[in-house]
Amino acid sequence: MTDVGHKRAIGFVLGLIMVVLIIVIAGAVSSRVIEPPSDRVSVAATIFPVADIVSQVAGDLVDVELILDPGASPHTFELTPRKATRLSNVDRIFAIGQGVDAWAMQVASISDADVVELDQYTTLICEGTCDPHFWLSIPRVIELVDDIAIELATIDPDHADTFTKNAKNYIAELTDVHRTVDNIMLDAPSRDLIVFHDSWNYFAEAYGLKIRGTFEPSPGREPSPKSLAELEDLVTEYSINRVYKEPQLSDKTLEPFVNDQDVEIGILDPLGGVEDRTSYIDLMIYNAHAIAAP
Ligand SMILES: [Zn+2]
């Protein structure tokens, strides 16, 4: 090899080393910039109370996507393709179970995420079919908070200790709120309730109330003349002077009944996520005040 040829060869090798170094350094820098966001775990929750309860346990370590928009009813909800697409990257889907949010399965099928049905962590009230509205009992929610921490730890093991600690704090807070609600209920003018749809059995169980009648036994379907006649009898039998509607279901058939019976309308909210009910705890306190109102 000539001297010039030799120098060219060295130049070529040095050039090659520089290119390789640039690629390695650029790779290290870009992976340092890009990796952390993709490490972040994200989960979905079917209804607002579940989203808030999971958020309390997750802290700010996990993104919690709410599937059912506040103001909508899980009983009449249909998942849009747009929303399904937005949820395609979640790692878990927290649901109630018992068919109330069966549409969670549609999200699961596009995201490949497991659905965690929280009904497995409490004992349900069953008469033939089981009542899914257990989140409306604070003691029932307390039972499953630790299980949510365990579930989050399986998808984000690095933060397991934080989830356990958050769960413990939230249980302490819920225990206090349960006592507060119990105290508010001491002022309830009546312990006999006629509610809009059949979602208040767990609330009644927790606070010594009796659900005497339900305006829409099938949520979203108008009551039959026969069931309206039965409700009229119950109003008399239990000296009911207030019946309850719910923000998520149309109440236009309730008006004539209320006018005929000379009862007033209160609002019980099983789902929240709106107005002064932007946490599960605020939702429960709101409902206690609604029943305790003079
Ligand atoms: Zn319901």
Side-chain angles (χ1 to χ4, degrees):
M1 201 184 275
T2 63
D3 203 33
V4 173
H6 201 85
K7 275 182 184 158
R8 271 200 195 138
I10 290 171
F12 177 74
V13 169
L14 281 176
L16 201 64
I17 289 170
M18 284 298 285
V19 168
V20 169
L21 271 177
I22 286 166
I23 290 169
V24 167
I25 290 166
V29 168
S30 70
S31 73
R32 207 174 298 148
V33 171
I34 291 162
E35 257 176 32
S38 66
D39 277 355
R40 203 174 154 82
V41 164
S42 91
V43 301
T46 54
I47 60 171
F48 172 76
V50 174
D52 183 54
I53 293 160
V54 171
S55 295
Q56 298 299 325
V57 180
D60 51 12
L61 298 169
V62 175
D63 294 320
V64 182
E65 292 270 2
L66 174 59
I67 303 176
L68 181 76
D69 289 330
S73 169
H75 300 294
T76 53
F77 175 67
E78 281 174 39
L79 189 73
T80 61
R82 191 161 164 233
K83 178 158 270 188
T85 310
R86 193 162 62 77
L87 296 164
S88 61
N89 61 346
V90 297
D91 301 294
R92 280 286 187 290
I93 301 158
F94 288 91
I96 289 296
Q98 299 301 318
V100 72
D101 47 10
W103 33 267
M105 295 301 171
Q106 287 170 261
V107 180
S109 68
I110 57 134
S111 67
D112 220 20
D114 288 341
V115 176
V116 181
E117 291 187 324
L118 297 175
D119 65 341
Q120 67 187 295
Y121 301 120
T122 186
T123 312
L124 297 172
I125 298 172
C126 302
E127 275 171 40
T129 57
C130 296
D131 182 347
H133 302 86
F134 59 84
W135 70 90
L136 292 168
S137 158
I138 295 173
R140 304 281 179 154
V141 168
I142 288 172
E143 283 179 43
L144 53 83
V145 168
D146 282 332
D147 296 297
I148 292 172
I150 292 166
E151 196 61 51
L152 289 173
T154 63
I155 49 173
D156 189 0
D158 290 351
H159 296 123
D161 289 349
T162 308
F163 300 141
T164 306
K165 194 173 117 257
N166 291 348
K168 188 164 170 275
N169 292 341
Y170 192 46
I171 287 170
E173 196 181 353
L174 287 172
T175 305
D176 278 352
V177 174
H178 176 52
R179 269 189 230 113
T180 303
V181 171
D182 220 10
N183 278 328
I184 295 169
M185 299 308 291
L186 294 177
D187 294 332
S190 170
R191 303 239 145 210
D192 300 301
L193 305 188
I194 291 181
V195 294
F196 198 77
H197 97 281
D198 197 12
S199 56
W200 299 95
N201 296 314
Y202 294 91
F203 191 94
E205 170 200 68
Y207 303 110
L209 305 166
K210 293 269 186 262
I211 307 301
R212 298 300 186 184
T214 303
F215 194 74
E216 282 191 354
S218 298
R221 287 174 60 181
E222 289 184 11
S224 66
K226 181 168 168 277
S227 76
L228 284 179
E230 284 166 7
L231 282 183
E232 283 177 25
D233 293 343
L234 292 167
V235 165
T236 312
E237 187 178 349
Y238 294 104
S239 311
I240 302 271
N241 52 28
R242 181 160 62 219
V243 297
Y244 296 91
K245 65 178 186 179
E246 295 173 9
Q248 297 82 16
L249 293 165
S250 163
D251 57 343
K252 61 178 189 293
T253 52
L254 191 59
E255 291 285 346
F257 179 83
V258 163
N259 293 338
D260 282 358
Q261 296 299 305
D262 195 26
V263 291
E264 59 171 27
I265 301 180
I267 301 174
L268 284 178
D269 186 350
L271 292 160
V274 293
E275 296 169 20
D276 54 351
R277 284 100 72 188
T278 50
S279 74
Y280 169 70
I281 285 174
D282 287 348
L283 174 67
M284 297 305 282
I285 289 174
Y286 165 87
N287 286 316
H289 284 303
I291 294 169

